[in-house]
Amino acid sequence: VSDIAQSLKPLFDPESIAVIGASNDVMKFGGRPIRYMKEAGFEGRIFPVNPKGGEIQGLAAYSDVREIPEPVDMAVVSVPAAGVVAQIEACAEAGVKGAVIFSSGFAETSSEGEAWQARLSEIAASSGTRLVGPNCMGMLNVKSHAIGTFSSMFDHGWPRPGNITILSQSGAVGSHTLVLARERGLGVRGWMTTGNECDVDVADCMMFAAEDPETQVIAIYMEGCRQPERLIEALETARRQRKPVVVLKVGASEVGAVAANSHTASLAGADAVFDAVYRQYGAHRAHSLEELLEISAAASAGQFPSSNRLGVATISGGVGVMSCDAAAANGLEVPALPERAQRELKELMPFAAVRNPVDTTAQMLNDVGLLRRNMEVLLAHGEVDATLLFMSSIGFSPYLMPQIKEVLPGVREQFPDELIFFSAMLRPDDKAFFEDLKFTCIEDPTRAIEAIGALVRFGQSFARAEAETPPTLPAGARPAPAETLNEVAAGALLRDAGLPVVESRLTENAEEAAEAAAALGFPVVLKVVSPEIQHKSEVGGVRVGLADAAAVRQAHNEIVASVAEKAPGAAVDGIMVAPMVSGGVETILGVHADPVFGPTVMFGLGGIFVEVLKDVTFRVAPFGLDEARCMIREVKGYPLLEGARGQPPADVEALAEALARLSVFAAENRETVDGIDLNPFLVLEKGRGAVALDALVVPRTK
Amino acid sequence: VSDIAQSLKPLFDPESIAVIGASNDVMKFGGRPIRYMKEAGFEGRIFPVNPKGGEIQGLAAYSDVREIPEPVDMAVVSVPAAGVVAQIEACAEAGVKGAVIFSSGFAETSSEGEAWQARLSEIAASSGTRLVGPNCMGMLNVKSHAIGTFSSMFDHGWPRPGNITILSQSGAVGSHTLVLARERGLGVRGWMTTGNECDVDVADCMMFAAEDPETQVIAIYMEGCRQPERLIEALETARRQRKPVVVLKVGASEVGAVAANSHTASLAGADAVFDAVYRQYGAHRAHSLEELLEISAAASAGQFPSSNRLGVATISGGVGVMSCDAAAANGLEVPALPERAQRELKELMPFAAVRNPVDTTAQMLNDVGLLRRNMEVLLAHGEVDATLLFMSSIGFSPYLMPQIKEVLPGVREQFPDELIFFSAMLRPDDKAFFEDLKFTCIEDPTRAIEAIGALVRFGQSFARAEAETPPTLPAGARPAPAETLNEVAAGALLRDAGLPVVESRLTENAEEAAEAAAALGFPVVLKVVSPEIQHKSEVGGVRVGLADAAAVRQAHNEIVASVAEKAPGAAVDGIMVAPMVSGGVETILGVHADPVFGPTVMFGLGGIFVEVLKDVTFRVAPFGLDEARCMIREVKGYPLLEGARGQPPADVEALAEALARLSVFAAENRETVDGIDLNPFLVLEKGRGAVALDALVVPRTK
């Protein structure tokens, strides 16, 4: 277990809790946690802290946290903002392992608050006391009844203990989510809201959950991220541990991102890069609270098929068709069942459609024994990875429901490890009955299939959990310098790093140009190289298709003359000579320094794909070949690389290698490089490699 | 009211019902309707029909429907398939106005059944007795308690009367949907399942609902359509009547379409064309049962803003951000509130974010009076068309809920016509309370915004409800002949219909070619015209860029010689001469005869847009200019026509005119034409028009 997880354990599993600002008034923030813990029966010790001392809610109170005679795992701090720093200093002095700070009035409010918050960060760093908040709603341990929150949600019910850890940067969304989870009967292991994140942030908590043996699913609400490396480490760890991560990250729209920035002090980061990171590590990105809960609930049963064959058993043919549509939309196959299975089903139910979906019609309701045999055949001989059973409004039948409740436990006993979703209108107690048997119950069949799709994607991601090693750069690779390079130097730098950039030379006179052309091979292109000339063609600075030495000499002289006339006084580095390359599929490779994740590689097809359709995809650097291949397949224009429109297939492997190498180069030079463009990057016919015709390296500006 | 609606009224609103195959056994299909009607208190008359006569469930039974001494609106037929035809003949003879046939064993089973079903269709056509089914689940009138179904759903509850008419081709999906509607508290006006559709089909029922004063929302499950003109007429009527149509049409995926065909005998039709038809008439296409119900419920409140400005009031900033994301994804704006509104809100709640979303934070819960003032400012001065109020788990607060229930009725009284969605966890009775006040309650804020998006799209569609008149063709337009035309003749035919096809001439010798070229204007292109030569370039049959008469003569002779050599014996119509045209944006216009909807116009951008991205859109012919403009804006490549990539904007109006005219030409020639291609169709710079370089007209094959 990592140090980070170790340091957060007293906050997720506290055995002794000090409540600083404790109150006898059970409606006050400093009174509620004590009251709720007493009511729920927290098994650890509670130490109210209040300058007045005495007794609070029947417990001995201390006037200062330093007076508590025992070790304190967690302090809950509910005093006005101006008094928080002193209390946290006291906690650090007393060796309190962690503190949850409810108080608001920090960085979200004023510059004074910002200073206080900065001081809190310092205390955390120097003392090792981990701080959650300020301006947060606190934490909850469902099993031990440790309550470090002022939420009043326990007035109307207690969540069920289970294996889902819920994390939220927002207190209000966090408590809303926890109530939703309770209402839906989800099993919750722990709950943490991180607020202003002066110390502990959501990525730290993810890391704890990823390593925590009691957590099997991590459900997250987030707006931004302060520790991108930690986030990626946590995602990697969770994947290695086969723990699904379900994340509702807001700020996808521009107006949403603006609102997110006004809501917390988080750095939102380009949403597309967040999206790429989640995809890269197999996290499921939910787009509503409902989806966050539904996918988390489905995942908590712990079954993740790594292939995508769906069997459907339905008492309605129409729902069968609907299921096929939903399966196709979610990357699932509904394959025809093997002949043996079809034959057995037909013998069993001559009236049924048996291909898959298996449509038993309402006849199955006349003989529930058929349900058992139907499921046995489907599960034993159907060769499917997941099964959806649709039974409409069966839950309302006082006659049939008891029979179904006799049949399905036997099916589960016989097939303990099969992923089975049960889609029907069920009363809450019946739903709980089937969920205890690991039948995931989702009333709407389309939504059930969406959830199955998510579980299959988790399974596929877990199957390739071992992070691949990014390639190493060739021995001759040089670090990127801090200053600006012209295109010839930039090309040489990237070529030395193993990237296929067309070789070019900078020449000073016509004779040098002719020699360079002969060395590089005709035909060639000539271009003026000058940091002061942006539009080279407009000043007569470009000549293409030069087939021999004479043409090169003449073109060189003409360029020099034209530039002198049209851009008088411009500093000119020289005239670049490069071989002409044509053909292949035009793509664009780029790197930018993402404000959150740092060097990030972009890939897209050239021309209208990038300019009109914005058909691009991202990965955080560095990454390996497999990841590069995934990236390439993600763009809509991918069929062009496979050889659409009668073209030969392109050299996708060469492209993948270039992307992976570019990512390594970008990561290694993150301190000096802000951006790289290889545009156009031509992917030639399979086996013939790829080549960038132009290279740009933008140095870091600050 | 149309004849069709008139003829269906006795089936939707029967006042006297004969039950043929009536039974004393209340579990039997022939027993259930009588039992349920008696229990529910149907106010009309019930006539059991059974060969044994006597008394059934306490009612006088008749041995034959013809013996019933009073007029019968509707007969419910529940006898084995083999006996149905005789019973329906009797009904027709007795002047029964309509019959619902439960019995299965018709076209879905065997050729014998198919013959029986054909006979039923004949009887319906000749007698005027409207027939629903066979193999259907029947009908329901919620208000009058007329029950023409064997569904046992009434064992566990009765739907609430209201304004939603539910139609389904599938009985099982239909009854499932009705139970879902009941459980969600939706108000249902009528329910009809159409089964095998020997006479009455789903489009007929849509037409009834569109004209029915008691129906305000039409919710449909469908798999295919037998009467496309009726479907379109019903969609048009519903739009004119400002009645939202929400449709769950399955078979979107290939495997789904196959399953749909095996499930009913319906002709599924290309799903993309169905999709285009729904879009064209402003119907909302739902992709799950849940969405079908949720959008229908939201629509039943009858408020449809025609512009898209959304106001959000939330006690959670995080949900505010989420709402912005959801709004952007659903075509809604979350505009900054006018200065006055922001000022007023800030005075009211100094702690709040007031730009929009208005984040009151949980402080609003401390003073519910703030809620009222907040809503007043937002609704009176916010200049928004729809408002979402998010209040988290407020429904669980026994202290706050009564206060909210005092405040919100006042808000509604003050703003009776504003569209307000209330997103919170609510107990069922509280939800009903707010819904009676026309606050639409959807717990999940993202889903609430999806529903608002749908209502706005309905409003926008209603605003342009007057179907525009398609253009008329020019006086010189000729009908398309039944035989195949070569490209010159096809071009001339379409040119005469007012379509911009490049003028070309068929020539027999070099001299004629040179003359034609001079007349058309240089440079020109020459092409061999032959029904037997598919790949003209391969036989040396194409020459481009011919700049003068001499070049034309020489090219003509060379083409003739090359074709004679490489395609000896091929019948040649002549050599086509046409002016060269270049530039503009390459598009494709096409017509195909859709198996369901008939002549259907396709539009797409050329090249990779069509070939790689399948970026095309459809409309059923004929249509007008406005519809053509919508169509053009639908393709992803549309920015290219607007002038992306530094190009001048293209002549979109000329393109729209061509599409509308093409649709009229296709509709007028539906009997003789199977397909038309204008490819490439170049849309030139704005003001310069458009021109097709090639034209193909495919005659009807049978």
Side-chain angles (χ1 to χ4, degrees), chain B residues 470-491:
Chain B
T472 46
L473 298 183
R478 296 175 279 134
E483 65 273 11
T484 305
L485 299 174
N486 66 37
E487 49 262 59
V488 176

mmCIF file of all heavy atoms in Angstrom, chain B residues 470-491:
data_model
loop_
_atom_site.group_PDB
_atom_site.id
_atom_site.type_symbol
_atom_site.label_atom_id
_atom_site.label_comp_id
_atom_site.label_asym_id
_atom_site.label_seq_id
_atom_site.Cartn_x
_atom_site.Cartn_y
_atom_site.Cartn_z
ATOM 1 N N PRO B 470 -44.433 22.833 -51.941
ATOM 2 C CA PRO B 470 -43.254 22.560 -52.764
ATOM 3 C C PRO B 470 -43.321 23.399 -54.036
ATOM 4 O O PRO B 470 -44.405 23.786 -54.473
ATOM 5 C CB PRO B 470 -43.389 21.065 -53.079
ATOM 6 C CG PRO B 470 -44.335 20.528 -52.058
ATOM 7 C CD PRO B 470 -45.263 21.654 -51.735
ATOM 8 N N PRO B 471 -42.181 23.703 -54.637
ATOM 9 C CA PRO B 471 -42.203 24.543 -55.844
ATOM 10 C C PRO B 471 -42.901 23.817 -56.999
ATOM 11 O O PRO B 471 -43.031 22.596 -56.986
ATOM 12 C CB PRO B 471 -40.719 24.740 -56.153
ATOM 13 C CG PRO B 471 -40.006 23.616 -55.471
ATOM 14 C CD PRO B 471 -40.828 23.256 -54.282
ATOM 15 N N THR B 472 -43.376 24.579 -57.976
ATOM 16 C CA THR B 472 -43.903 23.944 -59.186
ATOM 17 C C THR B 472 -42.797 23.901 -60.224
ATOM 18 O O THR B 472 -41.913 24.756 -60.247
ATOM 19 C CB THR B 472 -45.097 24.715 -59.755
ATOM 20 O OG1 THR B 472 -44.756 26.100 -59.771
ATOM 21 C CG2 THR B 472 -46.333 24.524 -58.903
ATOM 22 N N LEU B 473 -42.846 22.880 -61.055
ATOM 23 C CA LEU B 473 -41.815 22.730 -62.077
ATOM 24 C C LEU B 473 -42.090 23.728 -63.210
ATOM 25 O O LEU B 473 -43.232 24.150 -63.410
ATOM 26 C CB LEU B 473 -41.814 21.302 -62.604
ATOM 27 C CG LEU B 473 -41.502 20.238 -61.547
ATOM 28 C CD1 LEU B 473 -41.442 18.855 -62.178
ATOM 29 C CD2 LEU B 473 -40.184 20.545 -60.838
ATOM 30 N N PRO B 474 -41.072 24.092 -63.954
ATOM 31 C CA PRO B 474 -41.292 25.038 -65.064
ATOM 32 C C PRO B 474 -42.215 24.440 -66.120
ATOM 33 O O PRO B 474 -42.411 23.217 -66.195
ATOM 34 C CB PRO B 474 -39.886 25.270 -65.624
ATOM 35 C CG PRO B 474 -39.029 24.206 -65.045
ATOM 36 C CD PRO B 474 -39.674 23.716 -63.797
ATOM 37 N N ALA B 475 -42.791 25.325 -66.951
ATOM 38 C CA ALA B 475 -43.768 24.892 -67.964
ATOM 39 C C ALA B 475 -43.212 23.810 -68.876
ATOM 40 O O ALA B 475 -43.920 22.897 -69.299
ATOM 41 C CB ALA B 475 -44.221 26.104 -68.778
ATOM 42 N N GLY B 476 -41.933 23.886 -69.165
ATOM 43 C CA GLY B 476 -41.358 22.926 -70.117
ATOM 44 C C GLY B 476 -41.027 21.568 -69.543
ATOM 45 O O GLY B 476 -40.490 20.709 -70.267
ATOM 46 N N ALA B 477 -41.334 21.335 -68.271
ATOM 47 C CA ALA B 477 -40.960 20.053 -67.659
ATOM 48 C C ALA B 477 -41.698 18.908 -68.339
ATOM 49 O O ALA B 477 -42.890 18.997 -68.621
ATOM 50 C CB ALA B 477 -41.290 20.083 -66.169
ATOM 51 N N ARG B 478 -40.973 17.841 -68.634
ATOM 52 C CA ARG B 478 -41.561 16.672 -69.304
ATOM 53 C C ARG B 478 -41.619 15.503 -68.335
ATOM 54 O O ARG B 478 -40.784 15.404 -67.441
ATOM 55 C CB ARG B 478 -40.668 16.252 -70.485
ATOM 56 C CG ARG B 478 -40.572 17.286 -71.599
ATOM 57 C CD ARG B 478 -39.564 16.806 -72.626
ATOM 58 N NE ARG B 478 -38.180 17.063 -72.241
ATOM 59 C CZ ARG B 478 -37.184 16.190 -72.334
ATOM 60 N NH1 ARG B 478 -37.411 14.957 -72.770
ATOM 61 N NH2 ARG B 478 -35.960 16.510 -71.982
ATOM 62 N N PRO B 479 -42.572 14.592 -68.491
ATOM 63 C CA PRO B 479 -42.580 13.386 -67.651
ATOM 64 C C PRO B 479 -41.399 12.487 -68.010
ATOM 65 O O PRO B 479 -40.969 12.452 -69.167
ATOM 66 C CB PRO B 479 -43.908 12.714 -67.991
ATOM 67 C CG PRO B 479 -44.334 13.293 -69.282
ATOM 68 C CD PRO B 479 -43.701 14.646 -69.428
ATOM 69 N N ALA B 480 -40.885 11.770 -67.010
ATOM 70 C CA ALA B 480 -39.792 10.836 -67.263
ATOM 71 C C ALA B 480 -40.344 9.635 -68.013
ATOM 72 O O ALA B 480 -41.399 9.100 -67.657
ATOM 73 C CB ALA B 480 -39.182 10.394 -65.945
ATOM 74 N N PRO B 481 -39.670 9.234 -69.085
ATOM 75 C CA PRO B 481 -40.143 8.073 -69.843
ATOM 76 C C PRO B 481 -39.850 6.778 -69.084
ATOM 77 O O PRO B 481 -39.076 6.784 -68.118
ATOM 78 C CB PRO B 481 -39.329 8.145 -71.127
ATOM 79 C CG PRO B 481 -38.078 8.856 -70.749
ATOM 80 C CD PRO B 481 -38.431 9.797 -69.626
ATOM 81 N N ALA B 482 -40.466 5.690 -69.510
ATOM 82 C CA ALA B 482 -40.283 4.409 -68.833
ATOM 83 C C ALA B 482 -38.957 3.749 -69.196
ATOM 84 O O ALA B 482 -38.507 2.853 -68.511
ATOM 85 C CB ALA B 482 -41.444 3.479 -69.167
ATOM 86 N N GLU B 483 -38.354 4.199 -70.321
ATOM 87 C CA GLU B 483 -37.134 3.504 -70.740
ATOM 88 C C GLU B 483 -35.868 4.231 -70.247
ATOM 89 O O GLU B 483 -35.926 5.366 -69.781
ATOM 90 C CB GLU B 483 -37.101 3.344 -72.274
ATOM 91 C CG GLU B 483 -36.998 4.644 -73.034
ATOM 92 C CD GLU B 483 -38.377 5.278 -73.296
ATOM 93 O OE1 GLU B 483 -39.388 4.808 -72.692
ATOM 94 O OE2 GLU B 483 -38.449 6.243 -74.075
ATOM 95 N N THR B 484 -34.745 3.526 -70.382
ATOM 96 C CA THR B 484 -33.463 4.065 -69.942
ATOM 97 C C THR B 484 -33.030 5.222 -70.836
ATOM 98 O O THR B 484 -33.183 5.165 -72.054
ATOM 99 C CB THR B 484 -32.394 2.953 -70.006
ATOM 100 O OG1 THR B 484 -32.865 1.844 -69.233
ATOM 101 C CG2 THR B 484 -31.069 3.436 -69.451
ATOM 102 N N LEU B 485 -32.488 6.254 -70.208
ATOM 103 C CA LEU B 485 -31.978 7.402 -70.948
ATOM 104 C C LEU B 485 -30.462 7.427 -70.835
ATOM 105 O O LEU B 485 -29.913 7.091 -69.795
ATOM 106 C CB LEU B 485 -32.524 8.702 -70.339
ATOM 107 C CG LEU B 485 -34.041 8.890 -70.336
ATOM 108 C CD1 LEU B 485 -34.407 10.160 -69.560
ATOM 109 C CD2 LEU B 485 -34.563 8.964 -71.769
ATOM 110 N N ASN B 486 -29.785 7.850 -71.909
ATOM 111 C CA ASN B 486 -28.349 8.065 -71.739
ATOM 112 C C ASN B 486 -28.130 9.381 -71.013
ATOM 113 O O ASN B 486 -29.076 10.126 -70.744
ATOM 114 C CB ASN B 486 -27.610 7.992 -73.086
ATOM 115 C CG ASN B 486 -28.019 9.133 -74.015
ATOM 116 O OD1 ASN B 486 -28.247 10.263 -73.581
ATOM 117 N ND2 ASN B 486 -28.132 8.820 -75.306
ATOM 118 N N GLU B 487 -26.865 9.668 -70.662
ATOM 119 C CA GLU B 487 -26.612 10.824 -69.790
ATOM 120 C C GLU B 487 -26.995 12.144 -70.431
ATOM 121 O O GLU B 487 -27.393 13.095 -69.740
ATOM 122 C CB GLU B 487 -25.160 10.845 -69.300
ATOM 123 C CG GLU B 487 -24.102 10.668 -70.353
ATOM 124 C CD GLU B 487 -23.593 9.222 -70.436
ATOM 125 O OE1 GLU B 487 -24.428 8.314 -70.682
ATOM 126 O OE2 GLU B 487 -22.389 9.011 -70.253
ATOM 127 N N VAL B 488 -26.900 12.216 -71.755
ATOM 128 C CA VAL B 488 -27.264 13.469 -72.435
ATOM 129 C C VAL B 488 -28.778 13.682 -72.322
ATOM 130 O O VAL B 488 -29.245 14.772 -71.977
ATOM 131 C CB VAL B 488 -26.813 13.435 -73.912
ATOM 132 C CG1 VAL B 488 -27.281 14.696 -74.643
ATOM 133 C CG2 VAL B 488 -25.296 13.298 -73.993
ATOM 134 N N ALA B 489 -29.520 12.614 -72.585
ATOM 135 C CA ALA B 489 -30.981 12.716 -72.518
ATOM 136 C C ALA B 489 -31.450 12.924 -71.077
ATOM 137 O O ALA B 489 -32.379 13.696 -70.826
ATOM 138 C CB ALA B 489 -31.611 11.457 -73.103
ATOM 139 N N ALA B 490 -30.776 12.225 -70.126
ATOM 140 C CA ALA B 490 -31.149 12.389 -68.715
ATOM 141 C C ALA B 490 -30.900 13.829 -68.277
ATOM 142 O O ALA B 490 -31.733 14.450 -67.602
ATOM 143 C CB ALA B 490 -30.344 11.424 -67.846
ATOM 144 N N GLY B 491 -29.771 14.360 -68.708
ATOM 145 C CA GLY B 491 -29.444 15.745 -68.380
ATOM 146 C C GLY B 491 -30.486 16.700 -68.944
ATOM 147 O O GLY B 491 -30.942 17.626 -68.258
#
